[in-house]
Amino acid sequence: MLLSTRAARYAALMAEPDELYPEKILYPRNTRALPKTPVIGGQPIEEETCMTLRTLVFGSCASPPKVEWARTGLTLRPYGQSLAFGLRTPRNTTRGLVTAVQAVMLKHFLFKCDKQDLRANFETLLKPSYDRQIEVLTSAISEIIWRCAGGFSVSTCPNVVSNIVPKAIVALPQDTPYLQHSVQYFQDGLTETLHLFEFNSLEDLEIFVKRYLYLFHDEGGPGAMLLLYSAVLSRGLSKVRNDLEDLKASILGGCSEEGPISVIVFVLTGRASPHLHNGVLHVGDENTYAVPQWGVLMRSEVGFLVHESDSNIGKQPGSRLKTPSLPIWVTLCLGHHGVLFNTNRELLRNYHAERRFEIQYFTCGGSHATLTVDTRANETSGGSDAATMETADIAATPLEKLIRSNAEFKVSPLPLIVPRCTKGGRML
């Protein structure tokens, strides 16, 4: 394939079909409104908690927060159609969070089905009904909040007796502000109106989230902000500050166009760490004490792959993110977030399955592609010399390089990756 052709296909894949072809992806006849139950009860947010929460997330409570967070919901696409498994969101600093939620949703669509759904083919599973969409979105939101509360870390250690009871907190807005506008606090219309609801079981949490799902889902609503606030409060303000390893740091402070890496790690692992390596590294020199940097402590169900540039290898994830339990990865490729996934649960456990397989790439901007990865490319050619490898590597698109960065695939240096791209359902 000519270099220009490959580059053109990659550029098309990184585009935003939802913005370029809105008529191709909006189907009002296949959308349904969620019931809008008034928010009742809960504990009004305290002044200190309100100011600390805003500062920890946005960097300051005396200046207005990033407006897109109060205007971006976890909006589902039309049910029963192509890309019905996906969320839709504009390209702004919420994209990383929404993409991570999308990855968790794909886990439920593909691998957390009942016995009847397991008999269906994967094309059917990826064109869910409206009820299935609502069920999966509810489960994904609840799972993320529960993980940040430490729920899964407690339940996955049956042989260890612990008196720690997970406490998940969901933050929902009401009409009354509990903190007035002042020099110290700039009202944003949401944070100061929050009511906090506490839960000690995942089942109760799911029931509650489903009741008020419209607050997370509605397009133009504060769904992204409410989810991040709920995750931070469930983790604990002091623990999140410790995760960031800097008393003056904030989760969204100085983040890139599609949001910081720490938000992805927070959603996938329950810890807001800015590091991607395994375990704990102690960093220091002969003049300073070694400072621990906490990375990913357990193997994640959903992985994370990064390709920022050919020379930037410092941000490469460790094996606990590169080789997740399930073949689903959040990706960061030259500043663009997406999701790579395969429908074969055994892909990462079966060497023969890794030799040739299809993997799908999706972004919340509406781009979708199916790529065929053939790791036998060099086996048939008897190996490649350095010049051939370098030439092919130059011709490879960034997305191909990102896929090759996953050592679990045991890829030869130059695997064959053949993309078939779509824009809003149209083949390129």
Side-chain angles (χ1 to χ4, degrees):
M1 185 182 295
L2 295 176
L3 177 59
S4 58
T5 305
R6 297 166 71 92
R9 287 195 177 184
Y10 174 75
L13 187 58
M14 292 295 105
E16 298 290 309
D18 284 359
E19 298 177 6
L20 296 175
Y21 304 98
E23 72 281 4
K24 296 294 182 182
I25 54 90
L26 296 180
Y27 300 90
R29 65 183 181 277
N30 266 36
T31 57
R32 291 163 60 178
L34 290 166
K36 299 185 184 301
T37 306
V39 178
I40 300 175
Q43 183 69 28
I45 192 168
E46 297 178 354
E47 179 177 338
E48 182 181 357
T49 303
C50 179
M51 297 181 70
T52 304
L53 178 63
R54 257 274 295 276
T55 302
L56 186 58
V57 172
F58 293 102
S60 172
C61 62
S63 58
K66 298 179 185 296
V67 294
E68 62 264 28
W69 281 86
R71 300 176 183 175
T72 304
L74 306 174
T75 307
L76 295 164
R77 293 176 179 272
Y79 60 90
Q81 300 183 11
S82 177
L83 306 186
F85 63 86
L87 295 173
R88 183 174 71 247
T89 183
R91 188 168 189 248
N92 54 40
T93 56
T94 68
R95 178 66 71 86
L97 173 74
V98 178
T99 302
V101 176
Q102 175 69 77
V104 177
M105 289 178 62
L106 278 166
K107 179 186 74 172
H108 286 271
F109 278 130
L110 295 173
F111 306 118
K112 304 292 182 180
C113 313
D114 55 33
K115 293 183 179 180
Q116 182 177 358
D117 289 334
L118 285 174
R119 299 191 191 100
N121 60 52
F122 287 106
E123 290 185 2
T124 303
L125 295 178
L126 293 176
K127 292 183 179 180
S129 64
Y130 175 78
D131 291 338
R132 178 63 175 159
Q133 283 183 319
I134 296 303
E135 175 189 349
V136 167
L137 180 58
T138 301
S139 298
I141 293 172
S142 303
E143 176 184 320
I144 291 167
I145 296 174
W146 189 247
R147 180 180 294 111
C148 293
F152 294 115
S153 61
V154 173
S155 61
T156 54
C157 301
N159 298 326
V160 178
V161 178
S162 175
N163 295 324
I164 300 176
V165 178
K167 184 177 70 174
I169 298 177
V170 179
L172 298 181
Q174 291 197 5
D175 296 329
T176 305
Y178 299 102
L179 189 58
Q180 300 303 316
H181 189 85
S182 65
V183 176
Q184 290 78 26
Y185 183 82
F186 189 100
Q187 282 189 335
D188 58 34
L190 181 73
T191 311
E192 63 275 0
T193 69
L194 293 177
H195 277 222
L196 310 183
F197 300 82
E198 298 183 0
F199 301 91
N200 298 119
S201 75
L202 179 58
E203 292 76 14
D204 292 342
L205 176 61
E206 288 181 339
I207 293 172
F208 182 83
V209 169
K210 187 172 184 179
R211 181 185 307 159
Y212 296 108
L213 188 62
Y214 72 94
L215 290 170
F216 294 94
H217 168 268
D218 283 359
E219 189 169 9
M225 193 169 177
L226 292 177
L227 178 57
L228 184 56
Y229 274 173
S230 298
V232 170
L233 291 168
S234 297
R235 171 66 176 160
L237 299 176
S238 59
K239 289 183 178 179
V240 172
R241 193 172 296 283
N242 290 335
D243 291 342
L244 296 174
E245 299 181 357
D246 185 348
L247 296 178
K248 297 182 179 180
S250 62
I251 295 176
L252 300 177
C255 65
S256 58
E257 187 174 358
E258 293 195 2
I261 286 178
S262 58
V263 169
I264 305 290
V265 178
F266 194 22
V267 170
L268 299 184
T269 69
R271 298 181 67 256
S273 172
H275 307 298
L276 304 179
H277 57 73
N278 292 349
V280 185
L281 294 180
H282 290 81
V283 180
D285 54 36
E286 63 273 9
N287 298 321
T288 60
Y289 288 105
V291 177
Q293 291 185 349
W294 295 80
V296 181
L297 304 182
M298 297 176 60
R299 189 183 188 191
S300 176
E301 280 191 313
V302 176
F304 187 29
L305 298 177
V306 177
H307 176 74
E308 290 286 47
S309 67
D310 294 334
S311 59
N312 187 3
I313 60 174
K315 290 186 178 181
Q316 283 302 308
S319 60
R320 290 171 181 167
L321 288 176
K322 277 191 174 183
T323 59
S325 303
L326 299 171
I328 303 173
W329 296 265
V330 179
T331 65
L332 176 58
C333 189
L334 299 186
H336 293 267
H337 283 99
V339 182
L340 281 171
F341 64 97
N342 181 274
T343 56
N344 180 8
R345 189 188 190 107
E346 302 299 318
L347 177 65
L348 300 178
R349 306 173 188 175
N350 188 334
Y351 173 75
H352 297 289
E354 296 174 6
R355 296 171 69 83
R356 182 181 176 89
F357 58 91
E358 286 193 346
I359 194 165
Q360 298 189 50
Y361 178 75
F362 173 77
T363 74
C364 293
S367 295
H368 181 236
T370 300
L371 303 101
T372 299
V373 180
D374 191 344
T375 65
R376 304 168 299 175
N378 277 3
E379 296 178 11
T380 57
S381 62
S384 301
D385 56 30
T388 304
M389 292 171 59
E390 183 178 359
T391 302
D393 191 57
I394 292 174
T397 66
L399 186 59
E400 292 173 347
K401 294 178 181 178
L402 179 136
I403 294 174
R404 292 172 186 168
S405 71
N406 191 342
E408 179 66 14
F409 289 150
K410 303 179 180 64
V411 296
S412 56
L414 303 174
L416 175 64
I417 303 178
V418 183
R420 301 198 303 276
C421 304
T422 62
K423 268 190 178 181
R426 303 195 319 171
M427 296 297 295
L428 296 178

